[in-house]
Amino acid sequence: MLTSIYLIAITAEAMSGALAAGRRNMDLFGVAVIAFFTALGGGTVRDILLGNFPVTWTQHPRYIYTTITAGLVTVLLARFMRHLNQLFLVLDAIGLVAFTVIGCNVALRLGYDTVVVVMAGITTGIFGGIIRDIMCNRTPQVLCHELYASVSLVVAILYLLLVHEGVSENITLLAAFSVGLLMRMVAIRWRVSLPVFSYSQASWE
Amino acid sequence: MLTSIYLIAITAEAMSGALAAGRRNMDLFGVAVIAFFTALGGGTVRDILLGNFPVTWTQHPRYIYTTITAGLVTVLLARFMRHLNQLFLVLDAIGLVAFTVIGCNVALRLGYDTVVVVMAGITTGIFGGIIRDIMCNRTPQVLCHELYASVSLVVAILYLLLVHEGVSENITLLAAFSVGLLMRMVAIRWRVSLPVFSYSQASWE
Amino acid sequence: MLTSIYLIAITAEAMSGALAAGRRNMDLFGVAVIAFFTALGGGTVRDILLGNFPVTWTQHPRYIYTTITAGLVTVLLARFMRHLNQLFLVLDAIGLVAFTVIGCNVALRLGYDTVVVVMAGITTGIFGGIIRDIMCNRTPQVLCHELYASVSLVVAILYLLLVHEGVSENITLLAAFSVGLLMRMVAIRWRVSLPVFSYSQASWE
């Protein structure tokens, strides 16, 4: 079931990437590249940081086709996208939780320290969006806005606690998705965010 | 022979990197860094994504010296560069084809799936330019402009088809370079490009 | 002793990252992410380029906690930072030398060619700052300004020469830190920099 959710998640992330590419007037090739990296870049960075070779998507051509197709289809659907805002906010939140859980699992399997496992989950969750924004020449939005990366952090910690307690996988996943989606929806609805750090002094470095 | 072409190619790419660094008023060290990554960054990303360690240039100090020297020499030659525009467009196109073919070969040798082989070729072909633009704080040009990345895609597919058909290496290379150079020259001459996706709606994410 | 210096160094680098995040109005999570990558990103890039897995910080949770804590504490101390400018310029210079020496050592141990060893030192020294600037959407400062990357280059070469001559480790480190700090202080005091390359011609690529 996590696989089905994963396919939905990478589709939603790829579409977000395609829209970002469109804001930079990229051509169809650029759209495909940004869609691919937005969807699969987080997992790629995780695999490289953990030395988990071969990188996951190189063994799953289906993921590659899915993200590139999703990116290109977005170009056709672009005019309808703003009517689907609500839907995509939900799909994006589902993706965030799914990526986080999957990332934690990869690091757990490789026997990394708990803090590294949490970081692997967060990396998988947010780095696709960071790469998207870097490649589109803007400051990574996930590091500035409403609770997003923080949701990934909470989900990762909750997931590890439940796994550690020996709770069954189904209940663990149910809890992770419930808490993650709820947090994210509350954050969007009431614009909840972490304190922002604003600094304007020129200084060393 | 592919090695000679490769050395010409990394020289041309390093010079393109040096000019980009000059547009950002970097110092000579910055010029060397950008020249190096423009020329060898595509192959580096490919090696990392494919888990192909040690990374190629770490075993070929000559490539390192070539790219850094080319970058620094560009500073001296800068005032003449605009007269050499036509020449460099050709060298750059040769580099694109050479990088693509070499990238495909590396992934083929490692036994990756066909779609990953094609992506390895394209990555080698275009990622140097993407890294150059990211490090110079601008939107990657190869994702926006006239046929460039697409040339890499066509060359990669053509190359794989001919290899698969058992065509001799010389003829395969000749075909790859002919088609790649022709496509690129036509694209530049008549400003052929893929459709551009422009999107300005604010939206989710 | 190099370990104590290293902890001071990553603390100073993390604080520089936090201030850069503050200039982009990031939230506390963004501050932590940028702090982490500024401090440990150089070593991470080095480990990945050298195929040195597992990546160092994944085996040293203490480094992770140190950098994230330093980043968050910076938010509280931000108003005092400009009074500490001089102090941080010194700590940053110490960090640059320590990172360079450590980076050279890692590559030496893995048996890489001399030029790759020097590059591993420089990469460890300057890439944290490059990643910080890329993630904060600005042109990497270390590639533009007063002698900084060049200090790393000189320290790396000096270090390798002394190691090669069989000079004792204590004297080697003393020499590396003396020369590195002196160069950096002179560069800041009299604004010494490498020649800057300015190029404004539109051109090929």
Side-chain angles (χ1 to χ4, degrees):
Chain A
M1 202 196 66
L2 201 52
T3 305
S4 312
I5 293 178
Y6 181 71
L7 286 172
I8 294 172
I10 59 176
T11 301
E13 300 305 322
M15 295 179 88
S16 128
L19 295 186
R23 282 194 207 91
R24 289 295 185 238
N25 304 308
M26 291 190 182
D27 65 23
L28 294 184
F29 204 102
V31 169
V33 169
I34 303 294
F36 173 82
F37 276 104
T38 307
L40 299 177
T44 305
V45 172
R46 175 205 64 220
D47 284 343
I48 293 172
L49 289 177
L50 300 182
N52 183 40
F53 296 103
V55 169
T56 309
W57 57 261
T58 64
Q59 310 302 303
H60 297 274
R62 184 167 51 145
Y63 298 167
I64 304 171
Y65 296 125
T66 302
T67 54
I68 291 177
T69 306
L72 296 179
V73 166
T74 305
V75 175
L76 300 176
L77 299 182
R79 77 181 72 180
F80 310 111
M81 291 306 268
R82 68 195 163 93
H83 303 299
L84 301 171
N85 238 348
Q86 308 285 330
L87 172 63
F88 273 102
L89 282 169
V90 175
L91 292 180
D92 181 66
I94 290 175
L96 181 63
V97 178
F99 283 11
T100 304
V101 167
I102 290 168
C104 288
N105 268 328
V106 172
L108 270 179
R109 210 185 323 120
L110 295 170
Y112 277 100
D113 187 275
T114 304
V115 65
V116 178
V117 172
V118 171
M119 290 176 72
I122 298 171
T123 301
T124 315
I126 72 173
F127 243 84
I130 291 177
I131 294 177
R132 175 196 64 205
D133 290 345
I134 289 176
M135 291 184 79
C136 291
N137 197 24
R138 63 175 184 175
T139 304
Q141 300 300 299
V142 298
L143 303 178
C144 302
H145 275 181
E146 298 126 8
L147 296 187
Y148 189 92
S150 325
V151 174
S152 183
L153 173 63
V154 170
V155 167
I157 292 174
L158 174 68
Y159 181 76
L160 283 185
L161 278 176
L162 295 180
V163 165
H164 189 257
E165 292 300 316
V167 176
S168 80
E169 192 176 338
N170 283 340
I171 295 183
T172 302
L173 286 179
L174 189 67
F177 276 96
S178 308
V179 170
L181 289 184
L182 185 68
M183 269 186 77
R184 186 74 188 115
M185 293 306 125
V186 167
I188 293 169
R189 179 68 186 76
W190 286 283
R191 302 198 153 279
V192 183
S193 70
L194 286 183
V196 162
F197 175 40
S198 294
Y199 186 77
S200 55
Q201 220 63 51
S203 75
W204 116 89
E205 52 78 50
Chain B
M1 200 196 66
L2 200 52
T3 304
S4 312
I5 293 178
Y6 181 71
L7 286 172
I8 294 172
I10 59 176
T11 301
E13 300 304 323
M15 296 179 86
S16 128
L19 295 186
R23 283 194 206 90
R24 289 293 186 239
N25 304 308
M26 291 190 183
D27 66 23
L28 294 185
F29 205 102
V31 169
V33 169
I34 304 293
F36 174 83
F37 276 104
T38 307
L40 299 177
T44 305
V45 171
R46 175 206 63 220
D47 284 343
I48 293 172
L49 290 177
L50 301 182
N52 183 40
F53 296 103
V55 169
T56 309
W57 56 261
T58 64
Q59 309 302 304
H60 296 275
R62 183 167 51 142
Y63 298 166
I64 304 172
Y65 296 124
T66 302
T67 55
I68 292 177
T69 306
L72 296 178
V73 167
T74 305
V75 175
L76 300 176
L77 299 182
R79 77 181 70 181
F80 310 112
M81 291 306 269
R82 68 196 162 91
H83 303 299
L84 301 171
N85 238 349
Q86 308 285 330
L87 172 63
F88 273 102
L89 282 169
V90 174
L91 292 180
D92 181 67
I94 291 174
L96 181 63
V97 178
F99 283 12
T100 303
V101 167
I102 290 168
C104 288
N105 268 328
V106 172
L108 269 178
R109 210 185 322 121
L110 295 169
Y112 277 100
D113 187 275
T114 305
V115 64
V116 178
V117 173
V118 171
M119 290 175 72
I122 298 172
T123 300
T124 315
I126 72 173
F127 243 84
I130 291 178
I131 294 177
R132 175 196 65 206
D133 290 345
I134 289 176
M135 291 184 79
C136 291
N137 197 25
R138 64 175 184 174
T139 304
Q141 300 299 299
V142 298
L143 303 178
C144 302
H145 275 180
E146 299 126 8
L147 296 187
Y148 189 92
S150 324
V151 173
S152 184
L153 173 64
V154 170
V155 167
I157 292 174
L158 174 68
Y159 181 77
L160 284 186
L161 278 176
L162 295 180
V163 166
H164 189 257
E165 293 300 315
V167 177
S168 81
E169 192 176 338
N170 282 341
I171 295 183
T172 302
L173 285 179
L174 189 68
F177 276 96
S178 308
V179 170
L181 290 183
L182 185 68
M183 269 186 77
R184 187 75 188 114
M185 293 305 125
V186 167
I188 293 168
R189 181 66 187 77
W190 287 283
R191 302 198 152 279
V192 183
S193 70
L194 286 183
V196 162
F197 176 39
S198 295
Y199 187 77
S200 55
Q201 220 65 50
S203 74
W204 114 88
E205 51 75 53
Chain C
M1 198 195 68
L2 200 53
T3 305
S4 312
I5 294 178
Y6 181 71
L7 286 172
I8 294 172
I10 58 176
T11 301
E13 300 305 322
M15 295 178 87
S16 129
L19 295 186
R23 283 194 206 91
R24 289 293 186 240
N25 304 307
M26 291 190 182
D27 66 23
L28 294 184
F29 204 101
V31 169
V33 169
I34 304 292
F36 173 82
F37 276 104
T38 307
L40 300 177
T44 304
V45 172
R46 175 206 64 220
D47 284 342
I48 293 172
L49 289 178
L50 301 182
N52 184 38
F53 296 103
V55 169
T56 309
W57 57 260
T58 64
Q59 310 301 303
H60 297 274
R62 184 167 51 143
Y63 298 166
I64 304 172
Y65 297 125
T66 301
T67 54
I68 291 177
T69 306
L72 296 179
V73 167
T74 305
V75 175
L76 300 176
L77 299 182
R79 78 181 70 181
F80 310 112
M81 291 306 268
R82 69 196 164 90
H83 304 299
L84 301 171
N85 238 349
Q86 309 284 330
L87 173 63
F88 273 102
L89 282 169
V90 175
L91 292 180
D92 181 67
I94 292 175
L96 180 62
V97 178
F99 283 11
T100 303
V101 168
I102 290 168
C104 288
N105 269 327
V106 172
L108 270 178
R109 211 183 324 119
L110 295 169
Y112 277 100
D113 187 276
T114 304
V115 66
V116 178
V117 173
V118 171
M119 290 175 72
I122 298 172
T123 300
T124 315
I126 72 173
F127 242 85
I130 291 177
I131 294 177
R132 175 196 65 206
D133 290 345
I134 288 176
M135 290 184 80
C136 291
N137 198 23
R138 64 175 184 174
T139 304
Q141 300 300 298
V142 298
L143 303 179
C144 302
H145 276 180
E146 299 127 8
L147 295 187
Y148 189 92
S150 324
V151 174
S152 183
L153 172 65
V154 170
V155 168
I157 292 173
L158 174 68
Y159 181 77
L160 283 185
L161 278 176
L162 295 180
V163 165
H164 189 258
E165 292 300 316
V167 177
S168 81
E169 192 176 338
N170 282 341
I171 296 184
T172 303
L173 286 179
L174 189 67
F177 277 96
S178 308
V179 170
L181 289 183
L182 185 68
M183 269 186 77
R184 186 74 188 115
M185 293 305 125
V186 167
I188 293 168
R189 180 67 185 78
W190 286 284
R191 301 199 152 278
V192 184
S193 69
L194 286 183
V196 162
F197 176 40
S198 295
Y199 186 78
S200 54
Q201 220 64 52
S203 75
W204 114 88
E205 53 74 57

